[in-house]
Amino acid sequence: MDIGTAEIIDELKEPRKRRTGLSGGSGPGNNDRRKGGGSDGPDDSNDGQPDAFRPEKSRILTAFLLLVVLMTFGGLFAAYVVLATNKAAEWQPFSLPIPVWISTVIIFLSSIAYVVSERATASNEQPKAKKWLIVTTALGGIFIASQLVAWLELTSRGLYMQGNPYAGFFYILTAVHAVHVLGGIA
């Protein structure tokens, strides 16, 4: 055959049939829903793609939300770095109140509790996993309360969002982080 020409094929080889139940193959069970056929899995409408290449909707949503969180915190961090290195006269750092350091320990312990819960879930220890998820949730709530206590201490020192970008960024970053933790609790 020459390049750019087409030949008519008289005989077509019959494609090999796949057994039903294997990654989207169709066989004698005829899994076409319109014809009332059988089913070889929870989602037969795979359009010829193997199930391994069809991400679940929850995974796509989770990836999207993680991207949103990453971009939010990344943008805030970049703005913080730009303002902090700008040598602006109104940038006045202050010592962080004690509740901020306590909340750091609390959120770290919450992360550990979550990892323990995740491992218990993976080893099919449901009561243990439930207990540690409850601990994680409680620690998340305590973290948010400790952030509120830190804000109250800052306002008692006379540090507000207006007038000092450093204080403004502290309030914004801790508020966004509190919303992030609330999302995790939900």
Side-chain angles (χ1 to χ4, degrees):
M1 171 170 25
D2 293 326
I3 296 178
T5 63
E7 292 180 12
I8 298 175
I9 301 174
D10 293 329
E11 285 185 29
L12 289 176
K13 288 186 180 179
E14 183 86 20
R16 280 190 337 169
K17 294 194 181 224
R18 294 183 183 174
R19 295 186 323 199
T20 57
L22 296 177
S23 64
S26 61
N30 191 4
N31 61 0
D32 189 355
R33 290 183 182 152
R34 291 171 294 196
K35 296 179 184 176
S39 172
D40 65 346
D43 183 14
D44 293 332
S45 60
N46 59 7
D47 302 327
Q49 293 181 343
D51 290 337
F53 296 105
R54 297 198 52 160
E56 297 176 21
K57 291 177 185 174
S58 62
R59 287 184 182 254
I60 292 171
L61 178 63
T62 302
F64 176 74
L65 290 175
L66 285 173
L67 184 63
V68 167
V69 168
L70 178 69
M71 291 179 70
T72 301
F73 281 106
L76 287 171
F77 180 74
Y80 174 86
V81 169
V82 166
L83 283 175
T85 58
N86 196 13
K87 306 291 184 204
E90 62 270 355
W91 188 262
Q92 302 164 2
F94 52 83
S95 63
L96 296 175
I98 297 295
V100 171
W101 302 109
I102 293 171
S103 69
T104 302
V105 172
I106 291 169
I107 203 69
F108 180 72
L109 292 174
S110 176
S111 298
I112 291 172
Y114 179 78
V115 169
V116 171
S117 172
E118 187 178 39
R119 289 183 180 168
T121 300
S123 62
N124 206 20
E125 300 175 57
Q126 299 305 318
K128 181 180 177 183
K130 183 179 179 181
K131 178 183 83 167
W132 283 103
L133 271 180
I134 291 170
V135 169
T136 302
T137 303
L139 287 171
I142 294 169
F143 168 80
I144 292 171
S146 69
Q147 293 295 297
L148 293 173
V149 170
W151 290 353
L152 291 173
E153 187 172 326
L154 287 178
T155 56
S156 71
R157 290 187 199 174
L159 295 167
Y160 302 100
M161 286 185 75
Q162 62 269 43
N164 184 354
Y166 185 82
F169 266 102
F170 178 82
Y171 284 112
I172 290 170
L173 284 170
T174 54
V176 169
H177 196 223
V179 169
H180 175 72
V181 172
L182 275 174
I185 289 172

